[in-house]
Structures are given as C-alpha cells and as structure tokens.
Amino acid sequence: MASLGELERAVMDLLWAGHEAATANTLRDLLAQSTAAHGGAAGHEGKDLAVTTVLTVLSRLEKKGLVERERGTRPHRYQAVSSREDHTAELMHEVLGSAPDREAVLARFIGSVTESEAETLRKLLGHS
Amino acid sequence: MFWTSYFLAVLAIVLAWPVPILLSRAHWPARDPFTAMVLWQAIGLAGGLSMIGAMLVYGLEPVGDNLLAGLRALADMVLFAAPTTALGFWHLFALSAAALLTAHLVFTLLLTYYKIERQRRRHRELLALLASPSDDGPGTVVINHDSPVAYCLPGGARSVTVLSDGLMAALEPAELRAVLIHENAHLTQRHHLLLWAFAAWRQALPWLPTTRLAQEAVNSLIEMLADDVALKTESKATLIKAIAIVASGSAAPAGAAVVEPANLAGASLQLPDVAGGAGLASTTASRVSRLLSPRPPLAGGLRAAVLAVCALLLAMPTALLIVPGLLG
C-alpha cells in the first residue's frame, strides 16, 4: 500500500494533468491504471485501492488548500485549485521574495543581488 | 544595589547602541566568522539580560540589599500581601517594565518560532507535491524552475535541500557539489536556530535599529561559515564560480522562454532591490571579495581575547545580579 503522501502526489499529478474536475471513483480507476502500467506487483496493490482512501487523500488535499470540490453535483467532483506552474511560482515567490520572515524560514545559497553586482560577477566569470 | 542597577543600565545601553554599530562596521568578522558569531550572540544575550536586570534591581532597591533578597521580599508582597509601602511609583514602574519586557521577549521568541514553523510546514507540503527527488543524495529535491536557485529548508529529520532545474543546468558537477556542501553546512551547523533567535530579537525590538544590524550580520556570517565548509572539499575557484553563476543568473530578469507564472516570480525578484535589500546584497559581495582576496584568520591570541570578552559579557550581568546575594 502506497503511503498517503505518495497518493497525494499521484492524485495531484492526475488533477493537474487532467485540467477538469473528477470524481473520487474516476480518480481511483486512473490511479489503479497508472500503478498497473508501472509493473505487475504494484498493479495488484493498485486494484486494492479503496474509494474511501482516495476520499481521505482528497480531503487532506482540500484542507491544505490544493483541491476544491464542486458542491452542486453528487458524487462530488474534485479539481485542483491552481495549476502546477502557479504553485511552483508561489513557492519560488516565497523563496526569492523579500518577506521579512523569509530569511529565517529558509537559507538561500545566494541572497538578493542588485543588477550592478550581478554585472560585476558576470565580468568576473568572463575573466576566469 | 543602586550602583549595580546603574552599571547594568550603562551596559545595556552600550550593548544596544554603540557596540553593535562598531561591530557591524568592523572588517575582522569576515576573517573569523565563527568568533564574530559568538560575539553577536553574547552581545544580544548580555544586552537583554542587563536591560531587564537594571530595571529589576532598581525596582527592588528599597526592599532588599541584593536581587535575591529583593525578589524574596517581592514574593512576600505578591503572595502573602506584605505591605508594599516601601516601593515608590518609579520602583513599581521599573518592576512592571522588567516583567513586561521579559514576557515580551519570551512571547516574541515563541511566536516567531510558531510562524517560521508554519511557513516551513506549508513549504514542505508543496515541495512534497511539486519537487522530485534528486540523484544527489537523500534530502535533496529538484524543482521545475528556470532561475538558478538553491536553498535549504531546515526541519530536523525532514530537512530538505532544494535545487532548481535552472541551477542544475547552469553548474558543473564540482560547482553543484560546492553548493550542496554549502547548504548542508547550514543544516549540520544548525544555523536556523541563530536565524530564529535574531529574527525574534529584531521582531521584539523593531525600534532598536541595531537589532536589524545584528540580524543582517548573522545572515552574512552563516553564509561565510557555510562557504568555509565547502572550501574544505572544493576549490576556491569552483566556489567563486558557483556563487557568481547563481548570483548573476538570479538577478537577470526571467528569460523569454519562461512560461507566464514564472515571469510572475521574476517580477517579484525586482522587489528586494527596491525595498532596500542593501544588507542582503552586500552579503554576496563580501562573500566573493573574501574568497577573492583572502586575509589571514585572526591570530590565536586575538581570537581567544574576543572569546574571553564574550564570556565576560555573559558573566558580568549574571554575576552582578546573583553574587551579592550569595556573599551577603
């Protein structure tokens, strides 16, 4: 049985790739297919994946603000809140941005550099 | 007792204002970042201790010959309703200020920890979904982004070093190793604890400009410490080249080939320059100049002297507060 973390990742990959809302049942089938495609032993486990597990994973993702469900329909259809690229951009914004807490949250190899500094460094590279 | 509070107040002022300014302008910290780091910690701790101590000792002056006797008398007043007439308005004012300042410092420390941890958790959650494991060892992941970016996210056993596609493409294997060793040094030397403490110190006393100087100095010193670790295995030229490539790449506006959301991140890149990132910017500059024209580390004797000053700084307020009580 794959861990919840791996399943979260697999579900998000499906939602990001699909671009449209999907029910837990659809997602379960897609997950089973993709694990089957990745090899025999894993494929067997994939078939055992219960819809309730997929629902657990979806509600965890919903709590994290990554997935939303369409309330009108039944069964609920789930979709990604924003694209993979947007989430990456959000993450990089946090890394490169100038929020006062950022310096304490993570340690960057290179902090912010001004354009003139970068120019000096480029010249340095040209010489070496 | 009066002289103790007077002396502590002078010490607090000296440590809060002229000393950090002098230290932030000094050139020797680049030669011996470890010692400088110890000194900054000693200044912060001794500064806070003497600030609180001065007010406490002043406030308790009428009821005790020393801090311990004074605190005992104060406890009697609070717990057993002993008469408080000995304490005048200013004494009560100083005691309240000491209590408030202590609570404020502790509370800010905890709040900052909570805020940092929350941001890190969120960041880790997104990384778990967005980044893929790297071949460069456990705890290293690669994220799909064109700017050359490398950073580490501390978190005990879940610490992770993140590299971007752009970085992997721009660096030679040796340069990449230097970057990884550098980031790993942050984690093994637990630099995040220093970052936390000094971020909280600045957050707690934002009106004291020297708390900003301290934080900037510490940010810069941990980079130098991590560089020194990288230099043990990789050559100086490799490290300089890695710094130069990453720095020149991350300052450049995002290229035309970049998809739209990344351009968004590129736009935010310009912000630090506008928002007065001078301290940060000079970190990179001083790192490079320190590598290009290295100066010898502090002589053993000088280093020992600075460390002795650190010990003295911490011992002095403590001794002034406690020892008279033990002797008397």
Side-chain angles (χ1 to χ4, degrees), chain A residues 7-126:
Chain A
L7 281 172
E8 282 179 28
R9 202 181 150 99
V11 167
M12 282 318 291
D13 282 344
L14 286 173
L15 290 174
W16 276 327
H19 300 297
E20 58 185 51
T23 65
N25 268 316
T26 317
L27 287 168
R28 193 206 74 98
D29 293 345
L30 287 170
L31 283 171
Q33 267 173 35
S34 65
T35 23
H38 282 297
H44 174 71
E45 287 168 8
K47 275 170 205 146
D48 288 344
L49 190 63
V51 177
T52 48
T53 313
V54 177
L55 282 168
T56 310
V57 168
L58 284 167
S59 81
R60 279 167 63 108
L61 289 168
E62 199 178 7
K63 243 180 240 155
K64 291 181 185 175
L66 296 161
V67 155
E68 59 195 359
R69 69 182 127 155
E70 289 173 3
R71 298 264 168 194
T73 59
R74 244 179 222 279
H76 291 313
R77 288 152 64 87
Y78 293 83
Q79 62 186 1
V81 169
S82 46
S83 71
R84 173 189 274 273
E85 289 74 23
D86 284 347
H87 278 301
T88 308
E90 179 198 330
L91 212 56
M92 288 301 115
H93 188 120
E94 207 177 305
V95 174
L96 301 171
S98 59
D101 287 343
R102 197 265 297 152
E103 289 161 17
V105 172
L106 47 89
R108 268 169 70 190
F109 180 60
I110 296 291
S112 314
V113 271
T114 60
E115 188 47 50
S116 69
E117 269 186 312
E119 194 48 50
T120 318
L121 288 166
R122 265 181 225 122
K123 276 182 201 145
L124 191 76
L125 280 176

Side-chain angles (χ1 to χ4, degrees), chain B:
Chain B
M1 194 67 176
F2 175 74
W3 287 107
T4 310
S5 81
Y6 187 71
F7 183 81
L8 284 172
V10 170
L11 186 65
I13 291 167
V14 169
L15 291 180
W17 189 254
V19 170
I21 288 179
L22 287 177
L23 183 55
S24 69
R25 285 182 192 160
H27 291 293
W28 68 265
R31 293 164 61 194
D32 198 337
F34 174 79
T35 310
M37 186 63 99
V38 176
L39 186 55
W40 274 111
Q41 290 174 74
I43 289 171
L45 273 171
L49 212 57
S50 50
M51 228 185 274
I52 293 165
M55 292 190 281
L56 208 55
V57 170
Y58 173 81
L60 291 174
E61 201 229 322
V63 291
D65 290 335
N66 58 66
L67 184 70
L68 294 181
L71 282 176
R72 221 170 288 138
L74 186 69
D76 280 347
M77 291 175 201
V78 175
L79 299 175
F80 308 110
T84 56
T85 42
L87 295 177
F89 171 77
W90 288 112
H91 297 120
L92 286 173
F93 182 81
L95 286 177
S96 314
L100 279 177
L101 183 60
T102 311
H104 177 62
L105 289 179
V106 173
F107 179 72
T108 311
L109 197 63
L110 295 177
L111 185 71
T112 311
Y113 178 81
Y114 169 76
K115 275 161 69 179
I116 290 175
E117 273 309 306
R118 198 182 45 186
Q119 283 192 56
R120 284 188 187 144
R121 195 170 56 233
R122 170 78 187 162
H123 201 107
R124 249 195 308 271
E125 277 174 10
L126 281 175
L127 278 179
L129 299 172
L130 294 166
S132 34
S134 144
D135 306 331
D136 295 293
T140 309
V141 298
V142 180
I143 191 146
N144 202 336
H145 199 260
D146 291 327
S147 307
V149 182
Y151 61 94
C152 65
L153 195 67
R158 287 165 306 163
S159 298
V160 62
T161 301
V162 184
L163 309 172
S164 71
D165 281 344
L167 182 99
M168 312 265 289
L171 297 184
E172 302 285 328
E175 292 152 10
L176 195 60
R177 269 203 306 278
V179 172
L180 283 169
I181 297 168
H182 174 105
E183 293 305 319
N184 201 41
H186 284 315
L187 296 175
T188 51
Q189 296 189 358
R190 300 181 188 282
H191 290 162
H192 55 282
L193 297 179
L194 294 166
L195 291 176
W196 165 45
F198 281 90
W201 183 236
R202 180 179 178 182
Q203 192 87 45
L205 309 171
W207 39 266
L208 193 64
T210 49
T211 58
R212 180 179 58 83
L213 291 181
Q215 195 192 16
E216 278 166 7
V218 168
N219 285 345
S220 160
L221 288 171
I222 60 163
E223 296 306 331
M224 295 178 184
L225 284 169
D227 279 350
D228 287 348
V229 176
L231 284 181
K232 281 181 192 156
T233 33
E234 300 302 326
S235 76
K236 196 163 277 179
T238 307
L239 182 60
I240 294 175
K241 217 170 150 215
I243 293 175
I245 290 174
V246 177
S248 57
S250 55
V258 180
V259 282
E260 201 218 350
N263 271 332
L264 206 86
S268 71
L269 229 167
Q270 305 304 322
L271 283 175
D273 304 348
V274 186
L280 291 168
S282 64
T283 295
T284 307
S286 54
R287 272 168 76 187
V288 172
S289 69
R290 164 174 188 272
L291 291 168
L292 281 175
S293 45
R295 294 166 65 208
L298 284 192
L302 207 55
R303 185 174 211 231
V306 177
L307 291 174
V309 167
C310 295
L312 203 65
L313 270 180
L314 284 178
M316 215 154 41
T318 319
L320 279 172
L321 290 172
I322 308 288
V323 172
L326 298 179
L327 293 178

